[in-house]
Amino acid sequence: MKVLVINCGSSSLKYQLIDSESENVLAKGLCERIGIDGRLTHKPTGKDKVEIEAPMPDHTAAVSLVLQHLTDPVCGVISSLSEIGAVGHRVVHGGEKFAASTLLTDEVLEQIEKCNELAPLHNPANLIGIDACKKLMPGVPQVGVFDTAFHQTMPKKAFLYGLPIEYYEKYAVRRYGFHGTSHSYVSKRAAEILGKKPEDLKVIVCHLGNGASVCAVKNGKSVDTSMGLTPLEGLIMGTRSGDLDPAILEFVAGKTGMSLSEVLTVLNKKSGVLGMSGVSSDFRDLDAAVKEGNQKAKDALDTYYYRVAKYIGAYVAAMNGVDVICFTAGAGENDAHLRKSICEYLGYLGVEIDDEKNACRGEERVITTDDSKVKVMIVPTNEELAIARDTVALV
Ligand code: ADP
């Protein structure tokens, strides 16, 4: 079956068409500036890339353009839309209602809408994408795959905050965690590569991209993760602060005259390694700045590495041990210096990095020495493939 995977943001839409039997990507691409002017980048496998400026007043227009390109005689990869057997959608927040992927019936869509207030930047956009696909591909099954679902196995002690309990009971304020599709895929793939069953392993997955989170996966199940009610908690990220003393919000608002919501925008968009260094949110730029002697960039990276190492330590405690630590996502997969710097804190676990094995980018491999007590691995994430697999399983 051919599965169209859709990841819809407020002004962008990423897509992949995947053949579920071979698991090959037939085409992938990106619509940007939806509602502004519109730009499409379409990459059909084995054919030339197409980049066009085209009006995209809304998401329906964007999906329509994607479908036209997928079926185009020159840059297309299928002869008609009837070849698309199902559509898998990334949905950011499933609240406590969704512990697994699900077919998107009208009733399910209503329930997702109720989660909108938990992810006001993401969920409404996801729903618009689903609506557009339903309109343009009536009768084709649509599946929702939730970023939060994998973490629904967390025990209460891991997901409750130290707040008056009625905030949880009345308003569902708790840790949900995100990147679940990636943590699930990477932990299972690591077990597969090692020839072990996920049920027999304690794995810590470090998903270090623009957004970043760590997850403790015990016997195949998420038992704790660093993001919380929203994706702001936990690690220092590209532009997000991660953990901080909540009293800082009022203090900074008082000093700067900003409103609470303006301070939150700073925490989400102008903090992290970008805010700390004043250079960039991209680790490649920061590495270059450090080489040129930029002290703030060095401090930002040192603080970033240290925070990741502290979370790893916390999750070793949460699981009473660890067998495998995995690095994934943009920086985790590609930045050898970052992996090495984080693992330098893990000598007490018996982690020994093999520099030759670590000197690589984006390859599935073990990067510790044969004697290392804990294995450290690079496992490139593939959220689209995971979404396609779940979609096929449900239809
Ligand atoms: P997201 O999906 O969250 O947008 P990615 O997982 O694609 O993010 O990660 C993007 C980030 O990965 C970039 O901002 C950059 O910091 C980092 N990155 C990508 N390639 C490299 C590289 N070769 N070396 C270091 N960092 C890299």
Side-chain angles (χ1 to χ4, degrees):
M1 181 196 294
K2 289 175 182 118
V3 180
L4 181 61
V5 175
I6 299 277
N7 181 353
C8 198
S10 55
S11 69
S12 71
L13 182 153
K14 288 187 208 156
Y15 63 93
Q16 282 197 9
L17 186 67
I18 296 177
D19 180 335
S20 67
E21 277 96 52
S22 64
E23 298 201 326
N24 288 334
V25 176
L26 304 173
K28 64 178 170 182
L30 168 69
C31 299
E32 291 167 288
R33 300 174 64 84
I34 301 170
I36 307 166
D37 38 24
R39 182 183 307 144
L40 170 78
T41 310
H42 173 72
K43 293 182 195 162
T45 306
K47 293 185 181 182
D48 289 341
K49 178 165 94 173
V50 178
E51 280 175 291
I52 55 159
E53 311 268 325
M56 290 176 205
D58 56 26
H59 288 76
T60 309
V63 175
S64 173
L65 205 66
V66 169
L67 298 179
Q68 267 174 39
H69 280 75
L70 288 172
T71 51
D72 184 86
V74 179
C75 67
V77 291
I78 49 176
S79 50
S80 94
L81 286 185
S82 61
E83 287 186 46
I84 299 177
V87 185
H89 296 268
R90 175 189 182 206
V91 181
V92 168
H93 217 306
E96 286 191 327
K97 294 193 181 83
F98 300 103
S101 303
T102 178
L103 263 175
L104 294 170
T105 60
D106 288 343
E107 194 195 350
V108 165
L109 289 172
E110 262 173 44
Q111 287 181 327
I112 296 176
E113 213 171 323
K114 288 194 185 135
C115 301
N116 278 7
E117 63 176 7
L118 292 169
L121 298 177
H122 296 102
N123 266 31
N126 301 154
L127 282 167
I128 291 171
I130 294 165
D131 194 50
C133 288
K134 281 180 73 174
K135 262 192 217 144
L136 295 166
M137 288 176 274
V140 177
Q142 316 271 329
V143 168
V145 179
F146 302 89
D147 269 24
T148 49
F150 182 59
H151 303 301
Q152 279 296 304
T153 48
M154 277 190 288
K156 229 178 198 171
K157 64 184 176 188
F159 75 65
L160 285 182
Y161 288 116
L163 287 169
I165 195 65
E166 58 265 29
Y167 297 168
Y168 170 58
E169 291 165 349
K170 282 192 196 156
Y171 313 126
V173 173
R174 52 159 283 177
R175 173 182 312 288
Y176 290 96
F178 298 86
H179 291 141
T181 312
S182 175
H183 290 301
S184 166
Y185 172 86
V186 168
S187 55
K188 287 184 180 70
R189 182 73 195 128
E192 211 168 80
I193 295 167
L194 297 173
K196 302 240 161 112
K197 291 191 190 131
E199 299 83 67
D200 297 334
L201 286 177
K202 295 171 182 173
V203 185
I204 295 175
V205 181
C206 305
H207 177 112
L208 310 179
N210 236 327
S213 67
V214 188
C215 181
V217 186
K218 190 175 181 185
N219 309 332
K221 295 195 166 116
S222 169
V223 293
D224 207 344
T225 191
S226 58
M227 283 178 166
L229 175 77
T230 75
L232 182 54
E233 195 182 348
L235 300 179
I236 295 171
M237 307 180 211
T239 64
R240 287 175 229 159
S241 63
D243 297 337
L244 39 80
D245 179 346
I248 291 173
L249 274 81
E250 192 189 25
F251 187 85
V252 170
K255 288 280 179 202
T256 59
M258 282 191 283
S259 67
L260 197 55
S261 97
E262 284 168 336
V263 177
L264 267 169
T265 303
V266 171
L267 298 189
N268 270 303
K269 301 205 163 145
K270 296 184 181 169
S271 299
V273 289
L274 167 69
M276 294 181 74
S277 66
V279 173
S280 170
S281 63
D282 192 306
F283 287 84
R284 288 163 289 197
D285 300 336
L286 291 165
D287 287 336
V290 171
K291 282 200 186 101
E292 286 165 12
N294 185 318
Q295 187 59 38
K296 286 182 186 149
K298 183 169 184 321
D299 291 341
L301 288 180
D302 285 347
T303 315
Y304 179 97
Y305 303 147
Y306 178 63
R307 177 81 55 91
V308 179
K310 284 209 294 186
Y311 263 98
I312 292 172
Y315 291 165
V316 174
M319 298 193 288
N320 191 16
V322 61
D323 301 304
V324 188
I325 297 167
C326 299
F327 284 96
T328 195
E333 290 166 24
N334 292 302
D335 192 334
H337 176 70
L338 166 144
R339 292 189 295 263
K340 171 91 175 166
S341 305
I342 293 167
C343 290
E344 271 168 4
Y345 289 99
L346 308 178
Y348 69 100
L349 292 173
V351 166
E352 274 179 49
I353 295 293
D354 180 325
D355 289 333
E356 264 175 46
K357 293 182 190 161
N358 186 36
C360 79
R361 286 179 47 189
E363 274 172 45
E364 281 184 344
R365 59 160 73 174
V366 174
I367 57 167
T368 32
T369 62
D370 295 343
D371 299 333
S372 180
K373 289 203 184 72
V374 173
K375 284 193 164 48
V376 179
M377 301 176 73
I378 303 170
V379 181
T381 192
N382 195 339
E383 287 161 289
E384 291 78 12
L385 178 58
I387 292 174
R389 283 179 181 166
D390 271 20
T391 302
V392 172
L394 278 164
V395 303

